[in-house]
Amino acid sequence: APAGPGPHGAPAGPGPHGAAGPAGETAPLPRWINAWGEIAESWYFAPLTGLALAIAALAELAPRVHSPLSVAGAFAVASTLPLVWRREYLRPVAAVVLGASAASLLTGQVVLVTTSFAALYTLYALGRVLPRQSTGALAVGSVVTVGVVYLATDSLDDIPWPAAIVAVLAAIGLGDARRVVESAGRTEAAAAERQNETLTRLTAVQREQAVMRERARIARELHDVVAHSVSMIAVQAETAPYTMEELSPEARAGYTEIAKTAREALVEMRRLLSVLRADAKPEPEAANAPQPRLDRLPDLIDQHRGAGGAVDLAVHGDPRALSTTVELSAYRIVQEALTNARRHAPGAEVRVDLTYLPDRLAVRVRDGGASAPTMVLNREGAAPRTAVLDPSGAAGDAGRTRMEPVPGAPGGPDAASGPGGAAGAGGGHGLVGMRERATMLGGRFSAGPATEGGFLVEAELPLTREENPTREPGSQAPPDGGRTQG
């Protein structure tokens, strides 16, 4: 059956039966219900139905009276025509319709089907909008009015009084029941919206926590690198007065001050490291080993092959010794990319390219993709899922942290959201860790489906920030960098 009136007396839209079936096709009856709901919600439905009821009432009254311009005709119009404005002014319209209907019965006028329907429909509409206490008072008042009509006149003698009372109470009860259902639906929708908002905030918090944990882990790794350099400064400053002859008192004082400052810097670095480790999980024993550099990449490649993976390493340009930070970051990026390839594309062929450029080191890792159809074979499909990170911060935190690779592909969402991504080998957080390492150096990072298939990870690590001051960290790289434009 068609849906009942809306909150202001107009029929409401379709219920859940209008949804598509398992095969994705809508049954004929729900389709008609949906069409009826659209018509019932339109602006012209209430005026047309109210006017139609008034015309039907006059047509029903015409054979029984000599002229429609009579008291009976006035009551018929007053009992139906106000329903034209029931959406805008339901309570005043209900007062006029119900009052005219009661006055018509009390004065002994002819009982019409259209006016009776209009009165019952008005009771139903009131039951949908009134609170429970007011609905109870309306039911009591309506039953009393019907009883008075039966006692005072003979207008309803042809209708058994139990049937009349049941009809009145049923109309009000249906309206109240519809109000309860709609209120429950609104409450459920509001609860679902609140749950979605909570999940969204929780996801954002988890992502931020993953980023902070990864930054703390990177800081702990870099502590050894920086501490070694500062220790060398302190040792050389302390031994300089003993290895150099004829130093002036000012020079000796300067070397002494340099050594003192270096020692104080080491103390502060140890304090900083203790803060970073305060809330961190216990480190595995491997964390105490020396920080790896690019000369250990062949060992990493052999480990990947030993786990059943196929990988090729190609070095382009003029290999040379780089800073410990750059080499450590490049090593970790390759390590995380290989770990993700083993997780999400086991057995796929992986190619690792290291390109030594005058001002930066370009790292490129691409796998052939898993057997499942997870790769995007055209640039148009890949671009929306490839994240190009702007370390300068011009795009805002949301633009720098939003990464949406294909689900199930290497470095997918699960690899970027927690320790499960690449924790097996590097203890990091997959794409989050790779991004943080690149942006820490003022470089750039991109990850996403490759045009030729599979998954591609690219990073550019500047050698020094001072050697190329005209180039912004977030600017576009020259074509020889070989990075993917997202």
Side-chain angles (χ1 to χ4, degrees), residues 123-437:
L123 292 175
Y124 171 83
L126 285 175
R128 289 193 61 185
V129 300
L130 294 179
R132 182 60 57 84
Q133 295 81 359
S134 301
T135 302
L138 175 65
V140 172
S142 300
V143 171
V144 170
T145 302
V146 172
V148 171
V149 170
Y150 272 100
L151 294 176
T153 67
D154 57 356
S155 301
L156 298 177
D157 288 348
D158 295 336
I159 303 174
W161 66 266
I165 293 177
V166 168
V168 169
L169 294 179
I172 299 174
L174 285 176
D176 183 69
R178 188 62 183 272
R179 179 187 60 81
V180 172
V181 170
E182 291 176 347
S183 177
R186 289 191 295 268
T187 302
E188 183 178 356
E193 184 177 359
R194 289 194 298 269
Q195 184 178 7
N196 290 336
E197 293 178 354
T198 302
L199 291 177
T200 301
R201 290 195 296 268
L202 179 61
T203 301
V205 170
Q206 289 177 343
R207 180 181 294 274
E208 183 178 357
Q209 289 178 348
V211 171
M212 298 306 296
R213 287 194 299 268
E214 187 64 19
R215 289 178 179 176
R217 192 178 74 89
I218 294 173
R220 290 194 297 271
E221 288 184 354
L222 295 181
H223 168 268
D224 296 337
V225 177
V226 180
H228 174 73
S229 300
V230 176
S231 298
M232 291 298 298
I233 294 174
V235 170
Q236 291 179 0
E238 289 175 345
T239 58
Y242 303 100
T243 57
M244 297 182 181
E245 299 179 356
E246 299 180 357
L247 280 178
S248 64
E250 291 80 4
R252 292 180 181 275
Y255 279 118
T256 303
E257 187 65 25
I258 292 174
K260 178 182 177 183
T261 304
R263 295 298 181 188
E264 292 177 353
L266 283 175
V267 173
E268 295 299 329
M269 287 184 60
R270 293 191 185 97
R271 291 175 181 172
L272 175 62
L273 185 62
S274 64
V275 172
L276 293 176
R277 286 176 173 169
D279 298 328
K281 296 180 180 179
E283 294 286 344
E285 294 181 1
N288 298 324
Q291 299 300 339
R293 302 187 65 158
L294 290 179
D295 56 1
R296 292 180 57 186
L297 266 185
D299 297 335
L300 183 63
I301 297 298
D302 292 338
Q303 292 176 8
H304 184 81
R305 290 171 179 164
V311 58
D312 292 327
L313 174 62
V315 179
H316 310 279
D318 184 17
R320 59 190 182 276
L322 305 177
S323 67
T324 306
T325 305
V326 173
E327 292 198 10
L328 172 61
S329 299
Y331 180 91
R332 291 302 189 192
I333 289 174
V334 174
Q335 184 183 39
E336 303 267 9
L338 292 178
T339 302
N340 282 340
R342 287 196 300 269
R343 285 185 49 130
H344 302 285
E349 295 184 359
V350 182
R351 180 176 177 84
V352 179
D353 292 287
L354 290 181
T355 304
Y356 288 84
L357 300 171
D359 62 338
R360 65 193 184 280
L361 174 66
V363 181
R364 187 177 190 269
V365 182
R366 189 184 77 83
D367 64 74
S371 57
T374 58
M375 48 272 206
V376 179
L377 301 181
N378 58 79
R379 175 62 61 187
E380 289 75 14
R385 293 173 178 165
T386 301
V388 177
L389 303 175
D390 179 11
S392 64
D397 289 341
R400 291 187 289 116
T401 60
R402 185 177 65 252
M403 305 178 69
E404 301 175 352
V406 176
D414 51 347
S417 60
H429 294 85
L431 296 178
V432 173
M434 290 186 268
R435 180 204 65 188
E436 290 299 323
R437 293 183 183 277

